[in-house]
Amino acid sequence: MSTDRDTLLSMGFDPQRVEWALKATGNAGLQPAMDHILEHDGQPVPDLSSVSSAPSRAAPTGDDDDEDAEALRALIAKGGNVAASQAAISEQEARSIKCSLCGKIFKNTALANFHAEKSGHDQFEESTEEVKPLTEEEKKQKLQELREKLAAKRATKSVEEAKEHKANETIRRKAGKDAGQIREELKLKEAEKEAEKKKREKIEDARARAAVKAQIEADKKARAERAAREKAAREGNLVAETAPVTVASPAAAASSATAGRDYKETRLQIRMATAGAGGPYTTSLPSESTLREVAEFVAGQNISVDVESVTFTQQFPRKVFTQADWSKSLRDLGLTPSAVLIAS
């Protein structure tokens, strides 16, 4: 003969939940156990050693009459129906306990207590009706009802989980879209900054190359003039043939100096006089910077350069800068907007 435990396991319930239900209801029967499983569906199974067992008792007969009567009086006292129950006890033997509110009958006080806790009903009385065990057909019907309840509950839970998952997915996609848009905007800004930086560098390099090219042309012209003078001297025609060195007129120099005052920055290219000493070094400094700052820059690039002893030479127009010029600004020295210096 199969037990309540075997029946519940055959329905597919988790063994731990079956043990919990049977212990919590005091092995009061299949229906209380099923009710307990339904009520606590989804809750974690506690440690069974900490679960208090409801009293499990047989129908109130023989020597147990006094105890059952006392338990019944405690239930009936809630509804004030003690006199009626005592009259029923005195007339004939009670075989069950009946709920005065819903009419259900229970074979012992444990089941009545369980019903009271579950439904909130508080009016009970003794009854001579005998609780008959469920037939196989009734058991099958109750099991079918239980399965339908479980299926409906699981379907409802599945729908709720689907809705929650959809809402979470919508939130996740929106967050991902926002983050992607922010990343794209940051990339665009970085690209714009990089393009602007390259544009500035290109302009500065073009200016530097133009200044170097102009300096080279000036060096060539100066060498050609010097060679012509030397040749004329050798031929005895120094006075007649020597071509005058082109020198910027005071008006032109003043105009250049005036134009140079409009530049806030000066781009310099410093070449080392000694071959293999390093360089050339290129930098941009405020036009108000002193020549000493230029010397410190070169010393920072080349450890062989001493700030206190280094000198600078400008090839065209030819000019030598000494430490006496250290405190003068690049604008005052006529080096703006760009110049090529030779450090030695």
Side-chain angles (χ1 to χ4, degrees), residues 6 13 42 56 85 89 122 155 158 160 178 183 185 203-204 218 222 235 249 265 271-272 312-314 321 327:
D6 296 334
F13 289 116
S56 175
S85 64
I89 294 173
D122 57 2
S158 177
E160 293 176 353
D178 293 342
R183 285 195 296 269
E185 291 177 355
I203 294 173
E204 291 174 357
E235 294 177 352
S249 64
E265 287 193 355
R271 294 186 290 177
M272 302 303 296
F312 295 105
T313 303
Q314 186 178 21
F321 301 100
S327 60

PDB file of all heavy atoms in Angstrom, residues 6 13 42 56 85 89 122 155 158 160 178 183 185 203-204 218 222 235 249 265 271-272 312-314 321 327:
ATOM      1  N   ASP A   6       4.903   8.431  -0.819  1.00  0.00           N
ATOM      2  CA  ASP A   6       5.047   7.821  -2.145  1.00  0.00           C
ATOM      3  C   ASP A   6       4.135   8.500  -3.155  1.00  0.00           C
ATOM      4  O   ASP A   6       4.514   8.732  -4.320  1.00  0.00           O
ATOM      5  CB  ASP A   6       4.726   6.321  -2.075  1.00  0.00           C
ATOM      6  CG  ASP A   6       5.721   5.566  -1.198  1.00  0.00           C
ATOM      7  OD1 ASP A   6       6.873   6.056  -1.083  1.00  0.00           O
ATOM      8  OD2 ASP A   6       5.352   4.526  -0.624  1.00  0.00           O
ATOM      9  N   PHE A  13       6.899  15.907  -7.081  1.00  0.00           N
ATOM     10  CA  PHE A  13       7.362  16.925  -6.144  1.00  0.00           C
ATOM     11  C   PHE A  13       8.779  16.626  -5.695  1.00  0.00           C
ATOM     12  O   PHE A  13       9.206  15.471  -5.638  1.00  0.00           O
ATOM     13  CB  PHE A  13       6.430  16.997  -4.927  1.00  0.00           C
ATOM     14  CG  PHE A  13       5.081  17.585  -5.228  1.00  0.00           C
ATOM     15  CD1 PHE A  13       3.932  16.831  -5.107  1.00  0.00           C
ATOM     16  CD2 PHE A  13       4.979  18.887  -5.658  1.00  0.00           C
ATOM     17  CE1 PHE A  13       2.696  17.371  -5.395  1.00  0.00           C
ATOM     18  CE2 PHE A  13       3.737  19.451  -5.939  1.00  0.00           C
ATOM     19  CZ  PHE A  13       2.594  18.683  -5.815  1.00  0.00           C
ATOM     20  N   GLY A  42       7.965  28.022  -4.067  1.00  0.00           N
ATOM     21  CA  GLY A  42       8.893  29.111  -4.349  1.00  0.00           C
ATOM     22  C   GLY A  42       9.735  29.523  -3.169  1.00  0.00           C
ATOM     23  O   GLY A  42      10.724  30.231  -3.337  1.00  0.00           O
ATOM     24  N   SER A  56       0.386  14.694  15.358  1.00  0.00           N
ATOM     25  CA  SER A  56      -0.353  13.759  14.513  1.00  0.00           C
ATOM     26  C   SER A  56      -1.042  12.746  15.400  1.00  0.00           C
ATOM     27  O   SER A  56      -0.408  12.016  16.154  1.00  0.00           O
ATOM     28  CB  SER A  56       0.612  13.039  13.560  1.00  0.00           C
ATOM     29  OG  SER A  56      -0.072  12.075  12.824  1.00  0.00           O
ATOM     30  N   SER A  85     -20.951  21.831  22.402  1.00  0.00           N
ATOM     31  CA  SER A  85     -19.998  20.727  22.217  1.00  0.00           C
ATOM     32  C   SER A  85     -20.045  19.782  23.406  1.00  0.00           C
ATOM     33  O   SER A  85     -19.942  18.566  23.241  1.00  0.00           O
ATOM     34  CB  SER A  85     -18.594  21.305  22.052  1.00  0.00           C
ATOM     35  OG  SER A  85     -18.212  21.959  23.232  1.00  0.00           O
ATOM     36  N   ILE A  89     -20.818  15.744  23.444  1.00  0.00           N
ATOM     37  CA  ILE A  89     -19.908  14.740  24.033  1.00  0.00           C
ATOM     38  C   ILE A  89     -20.664  13.826  24.969  1.00  0.00           C
ATOM     39  O   ILE A  89     -20.433  12.615  25.015  1.00  0.00           O
ATOM     40  CB  ILE A  89     -18.761  15.457  24.786  1.00  0.00           C
ATOM     41  CG1 ILE A  89     -17.903  16.199  23.765  1.00  0.00           C
ATOM     42  CG2 ILE A  89     -17.923  14.471  25.562  1.00  0.00           C
ATOM     43  CD1 ILE A  89     -16.852  17.075  24.410  1.00  0.00           C
ATOM     44  N   ASP A 122     -12.631  30.062  13.383  1.00  0.00           N
ATOM     45  CA  ASP A 122     -12.385  29.852  14.817  1.00  0.00           C
ATOM     46  C   ASP A 122     -13.587  29.241  15.551  1.00  0.00           C
ATOM     47  O   ASP A 122     -13.681  29.328  16.770  1.00  0.00           O
ATOM     48  CB  ASP A 122     -11.982  31.183  15.473  1.00  0.00           C
ATOM     49  CG  ASP A 122     -13.041  32.255  15.273  1.00  0.00           C
ATOM     50  OD1 ASP A 122     -14.096  31.955  14.656  1.00  0.00           O
ATOM     51  OD2 ASP A 122     -12.816  33.395  15.726  1.00  0.00           O
ATOM     52  N   ALA A 155       2.292  28.834 -15.024  1.00  0.00           N
ATOM     53  CA  ALA A 155       2.039  29.628 -16.234  1.00  0.00           C
ATOM     54  C   ALA A 155       2.023  31.115 -15.907  1.00  0.00           C
ATOM     55  O   ALA A 155       2.598  31.934 -16.631  1.00  0.00           O
ATOM     56  CB  ALA A 155       0.710  29.203 -16.861  1.00  0.00           C
ATOM     57  N   SER A 158       5.491  32.176 -15.283  1.00  0.00           N
ATOM     58  CA  SER A 158       6.236  32.253 -16.536  1.00  0.00           C
ATOM     59  C   SER A 158       5.923  33.537 -17.285  1.00  0.00           C
ATOM     60  O   SER A 158       6.804  34.194 -17.841  1.00  0.00           O
ATOM     61  CB  SER A 158       5.909  31.040 -17.415  1.00  0.00           C
ATOM     62  OG  SER A 158       6.573  31.127 -18.654  1.00  0.00           O
ATOM     63  N   GLU A 160       4.877  36.379 -15.940  1.00  0.00           N
ATOM     64  CA  GLU A 160       5.483  37.490 -15.205  1.00  0.00           C
ATOM     65  C   GLU A 160       6.982  37.567 -15.461  1.00  0.00           C
ATOM     66  O   GLU A 160       7.541  38.657 -15.625  1.00  0.00           O
ATOM     67  CB  GLU A 160       5.208  37.330 -13.714  1.00  0.00           C
ATOM     68  CG  GLU A 160       3.728  37.495 -13.344  1.00  0.00           C
ATOM     69  CD  GLU A 160       3.480  37.230 -11.871  1.00  0.00           C
ATOM     70  OE1 GLU A 160       4.433  36.795 -11.182  1.00  0.00           O
ATOM     71  OE2 GLU A 160       2.348  37.440 -11.408  1.00  0.00           O
ATOM     72  N   ASP A 178      22.833  54.270 -25.454  1.00  0.00           N
ATOM     73  CA  ASP A 178      23.338  55.535 -24.920  1.00  0.00           C
ATOM     74  C   ASP A 178      24.853  55.500 -24.782  1.00  0.00           C
ATOM     75  O   ASP A 178      25.550  56.465 -25.129  1.00  0.00           O
ATOM     76  CB  ASP A 178      22.690  55.833 -23.566  1.00  0.00           C
ATOM     77  CG  ASP A 178      21.189  56.105 -23.706  1.00  0.00           C
ATOM     78  OD1 ASP A 178      20.753  56.391 -24.828  1.00  0.00           O
ATOM     79  OD2 ASP A 178      20.475  56.005 -22.692  1.00  0.00           O
ATOM     80  N   ARG A 183      30.305  56.996 -26.795  1.00  0.00           N
ATOM     81  CA  ARG A 183      31.621  56.596 -27.314  1.00  0.00           C
ATOM     82  C   ARG A 183      31.868  57.197 -28.697  1.00  0.00           C
ATOM     83  O   ARG A 183      32.983  57.653 -29.006  1.00  0.00           O
ATOM     84  CB  ARG A 183      31.718  55.072 -27.370  1.00  0.00           C
ATOM     85  CG  ARG A 183      31.906  54.411 -26.009  1.00  0.00           C
ATOM     86  CD  ARG A 183      32.350  52.975 -26.170  1.00  0.00           C
ATOM     87  NE  ARG A 183      31.321  52.182 -26.826  1.00  0.00           N
ATOM     88  CZ  ARG A 183      30.368  51.519 -26.187  1.00  0.00           C
ATOM     89  NH1 ARG A 183      30.327  51.562 -24.865  1.00  0.00           N
ATOM     90  NH2 ARG A 183      29.474  50.813 -26.838  1.00  0.00           N
ATOM     91  N   GLU A 185      30.576  59.975 -29.918  1.00  0.00           N
ATOM     92  CA  GLU A 185      30.813  61.411 -29.776  1.00  0.00           C
ATOM     93  C   GLU A 185      32.235  61.691 -29.289  1.00  0.00           C
ATOM     94  O   GLU A 185      32.895  62.631 -29.764  1.00  0.00           O
ATOM     95  CB  GLU A 185      29.798  62.009 -28.808  1.00  0.00           C
ATOM     96  CG  GLU A 185      28.372  62.022 -29.351  1.00  0.00           C
ATOM     97  CD  GLU A 185      27.373  62.545 -28.339  1.00  0.00           C
ATOM     98  OE1 GLU A 185      27.793  62.803 -27.187  1.00  0.00           O
ATOM     99  OE2 GLU A 185      26.178  62.691 -28.690  1.00  0.00           O
ATOM    100  N   ILE A 203      51.472  73.526 -40.540  1.00  0.00           N
ATOM    101  CA  ILE A 203      51.750  74.940 -40.783  1.00  0.00           C
ATOM    102  C   ILE A 203      53.090  75.342 -40.178  1.00  0.00           C
ATOM    103  O   ILE A 203      53.912  76.042 -40.810  1.00  0.00           O
ATOM    104  CB  ILE A 203      50.614  75.807 -40.222  1.00  0.00           C
ATOM    105  CG1 ILE A 203      49.317  75.551 -40.999  1.00  0.00           C
ATOM    106  CG2 ILE A 203      50.979  77.276 -40.266  1.00  0.00           C
ATOM    107  CD1 ILE A 203      48.105  76.248 -40.412  1.00  0.00           C
ATOM    108  N   GLU A 204      53.353  74.872 -38.950  1.00  0.00           N
ATOM    109  CA  GLU A 204      54.617  75.212 -38.291  1.00  0.00           C
ATOM    110  C   GLU A 204      55.803  74.610 -39.026  1.00  0.00           C
ATOM    111  O   GLU A 204      56.850  75.265 -39.185  1.00  0.00           O
ATOM    112  CB  GLU A 204      54.579  74.719 -36.844  1.00  0.00           C
ATOM    113  CG  GLU A 204      53.598  75.496 -35.971  1.00  0.00           C
ATOM    114  CD  GLU A 204      53.484  74.903 -34.586  1.00  0.00           C
ATOM    115  OE1 GLU A 204      54.132  73.865 -34.347  1.00  0.00           O
ATOM    116  OE2 GLU A 204      52.753  75.467 -33.744  1.00  0.00           O
ATOM    117  N   ALA A 218      70.448  82.557 -48.286  1.00  0.00           N
ATOM    118  CA  ALA A 218      71.267  83.678 -47.830  1.00  0.00           C
ATOM    119  C   ALA A 218      72.722  83.259 -47.661  1.00  0.00           C
ATOM    120  O   ALA A 218      73.651  84.008 -48.003  1.00  0.00           O
ATOM    121  CB  ALA A 218      70.710  84.224 -46.518  1.00  0.00           C
ATOM    122  N   ALA A 222      75.866  84.852 -49.622  1.00  0.00           N
ATOM    123  CA  ALA A 222      77.002  85.421 -48.900  1.00  0.00           C
ATOM    124  C   ALA A 222      78.306  84.774 -49.344  1.00  0.00           C
ATOM    125  O   ALA A 222      79.337  85.449 -49.518  1.00  0.00           O
ATOM    126  CB  ALA A 222      76.794  85.254 -47.400  1.00  0.00           C
ATOM    127  N   GLU A 235      93.075  89.634 -58.380  1.00  0.00           N
ATOM    128  CA  GLU A 235      93.309  90.191 -59.709  1.00  0.00           C
ATOM    129  C   GLU A 235      93.636  91.673 -59.662  1.00  0.00           C
ATOM    130  O   GLU A 235      93.825  92.321 -60.683  1.00  0.00           O
ATOM    131  CB  GLU A 235      92.075  89.954 -60.589  1.00  0.00           C
ATOM    132  CG  GLU A 235      91.842  88.483 -60.856  1.00  0.00           C
ATOM    133  CD  GLU A 235      90.574  88.271 -61.669  1.00  0.00           C
ATOM    134  OE1 GLU A 235      89.819  89.249 -61.888  1.00  0.00           O
ATOM    135  OE2 GLU A 235      90.318  87.112 -62.069  1.00  0.00           O
ATOM    136  N   SER A 249      68.303  98.092 -45.415  1.00  0.00           N
ATOM    137  CA  SER A 249      68.284  99.505 -45.084  1.00  0.00           C
ATOM    138  C   SER A 249      67.664  99.719 -43.714  1.00  0.00           C
ATOM    139  O   SER A 249      66.880  98.896 -43.246  1.00  0.00           O
ATOM    140  CB  SER A 249      67.484 100.284 -46.137  1.00  0.00           C
ATOM    141  OG  SER A 249      66.133  99.861 -46.105  1.00  0.00           O
ATOM    142  N   GLU A 265      54.311  84.401 -30.850  1.00  0.00           N
ATOM    143  CA  GLU A 265      55.215  83.261 -30.717  1.00  0.00           C
ATOM    144  C   GLU A 265      56.315  83.338 -31.758  1.00  0.00           C
ATOM    145  O   GLU A 265      56.118  83.906 -32.853  1.00  0.00           O
ATOM    146  CB  GLU A 265      54.454  81.940 -30.869  1.00  0.00           C
ATOM    147  CG  GLU A 265      53.579  81.594 -29.682  1.00  0.00           C
ATOM    148  CD  GLU A 265      53.100  80.142 -29.744  1.00  0.00           C
ATOM    149  OE1 GLU A 265      53.384  79.471 -30.750  1.00  0.00           O
ATOM    150  OE2 GLU A 265      52.440  79.705 -28.784  1.00  0.00           O
ATOM    151  N   ARG A 271      70.715  74.740 -34.749  1.00  0.00           N
ATOM    152  CA  ARG A 271      71.640  73.737 -35.276  1.00  0.00           C
ATOM    153  C   ARG A 271      72.955  73.822 -34.507  1.00  0.00           C
ATOM    154  O   ARG A 271      73.365  74.910 -34.073  1.00  0.00           O
ATOM    155  CB  ARG A 271      71.889  73.966 -36.774  1.00  0.00           C
ATOM    156  CG  ARG A 271      70.637  73.727 -37.624  1.00  0.00           C
ATOM    157  CD  ARG A 271      70.936  73.822 -39.085  1.00  0.00           C
ATOM    158  NE  ARG A 271      71.242  75.200 -39.480  1.00  0.00           N
ATOM    159  CZ  ARG A 271      71.596  75.551 -40.727  1.00  0.00           C
ATOM    160  NH1 ARG A 271      71.684  74.632 -41.672  1.00  0.00           N
ATOM    161  NH2 ARG A 271      71.865  76.805 -41.009  1.00  0.00           N
ATOM    162  N   MET A 272      73.612  72.686 -34.345  1.00  0.00           N
ATOM    163  CA  MET A 272      74.888  72.654 -33.623  1.00  0.00           C
ATOM    164  C   MET A 272      76.018  72.959 -34.590  1.00  0.00           C
ATOM    165  O   MET A 272      76.030  72.492 -35.742  1.00  0.00           O
ATOM    166  CB  MET A 272      75.095  71.303 -32.971  1.00  0.00           C
ATOM    167  CG  MET A 272      73.983  70.899 -32.000  1.00  0.00           C
ATOM    168  SD  MET A 272      73.704  72.081 -30.679  1.00  0.00           S
ATOM    169  CE  MET A 272      75.282  71.988 -29.828  1.00  0.00           C
ATOM    170  N   PHE A 312      75.221  81.910 -29.603  1.00  0.00           N
ATOM    171  CA  PHE A 312      74.367  81.692 -30.770  1.00  0.00           C
ATOM    172  C   PHE A 312      74.781  82.639 -31.881  1.00  0.00           C
ATOM    173  O   PHE A 312      75.131  83.810 -31.644  1.00  0.00           O
ATOM    174  CB  PHE A 312      72.895  81.931 -30.409  1.00  0.00           C
ATOM    175  CG  PHE A 312      72.356  80.951 -29.414  1.00  0.00           C
ATOM    176  CD1 PHE A 312      72.143  81.321 -28.096  1.00  0.00           C
ATOM    177  CD2 PHE A 312      72.078  79.644 -29.792  1.00  0.00           C
ATOM    178  CE1 PHE A 312      71.649  80.427 -27.179  1.00  0.00           C
ATOM    179  CE2 PHE A 312      71.584  78.744 -28.877  1.00  0.00           C
ATOM    180  CZ  PHE A 312      71.365  79.130 -27.567  1.00  0.00           C
ATOM    181  N   THR A 313      74.707  82.105 -33.096  1.00  0.00           N
ATOM    182  CA  THR A 313      75.064  82.892 -34.278  1.00  0.00           C
ATOM    183  C   THR A 313      73.933  82.819 -35.274  1.00  0.00           C
ATOM    184  O   THR A 313      73.370  81.739 -35.511  1.00  0.00           O
ATOM    185  CB  THR A 313      76.352  82.364 -34.927  1.00  0.00           C
ATOM    186  OG1 THR A 313      77.409  82.373 -33.955  1.00  0.00           O
ATOM    187  CG2 THR A 313      76.750  83.236 -36.116  1.00  0.00           C
ATOM    188  N   GLN A 314      73.599  83.961 -35.864  1.00  0.00           N
ATOM    189  CA  GLN A 314      72.618  84.019 -36.943  1.00  0.00           C
ATOM    190  C   GLN A 314      73.371  84.311 -38.242  1.00  0.00           C
ATOM    191  O   GLN A 314      74.124  85.280 -38.326  1.00  0.00           O
ATOM    192  CB  GLN A 314      71.583  85.106 -36.658  1.00  0.00           C
ATOM    193  CG  GLN A 314      70.442  85.128 -37.651  1.00  0.00           C
ATOM    194  CD  GLN A 314      69.413  86.196 -37.313  1.00  0.00           C
ATOM    195  OE1 GLN A 314      69.727  87.147 -36.591  1.00  0.00           O
ATOM    196  NE2 GLN A 314      68.205  86.039 -37.839  1.00  0.00           N
ATOM    197  N   PHE A 321      75.271  86.398 -30.942  1.00  0.00           N
ATOM    198  CA  PHE A 321      74.617  86.732 -29.670  1.00  0.00           C
ATOM    199  C   PHE A 321      75.451  86.149 -28.536  1.00  0.00           C
ATOM    200  O   PHE A 321      75.799  84.954 -28.536  1.00  0.00           O
ATOM    201  CB  PHE A 321      73.204  86.138 -29.605  1.00  0.00           C
ATOM    202  CG  PHE A 321      72.312  86.620 -30.716  1.00  0.00           C
ATOM    203  CD1 PHE A 321      72.087  85.823 -31.829  1.00  0.00           C
ATOM    204  CD2 PHE A 321      71.709  87.868 -30.645  1.00  0.00           C
ATOM    205  CE1 PHE A 321      71.265  86.263 -32.850  1.00  0.00           C
ATOM    206  CE2 PHE A 321      70.889  88.311 -31.666  1.00  0.00           C
ATOM    207  CZ  PHE A 321      70.664  87.511 -32.786  1.00  0.00           C
ATOM    208  N   SER A 327      69.397  88.451 -21.406  1.00  0.00           N
ATOM    209  CA  SER A 327      68.188  88.987 -20.775  1.00  0.00           C
ATOM    210  C   SER A 327      67.233  89.643 -21.782  1.00  0.00           C
ATOM    211  O   SER A 327      66.142  90.074 -21.406  1.00  0.00           O
ATOM    212  CB  SER A 327      68.564  90.012 -19.700  1.00  0.00           C
ATOM    213  OG  SER A 327      69.292  91.081 -20.281  1.00  0.00           O
TER     214      SER A 327
END
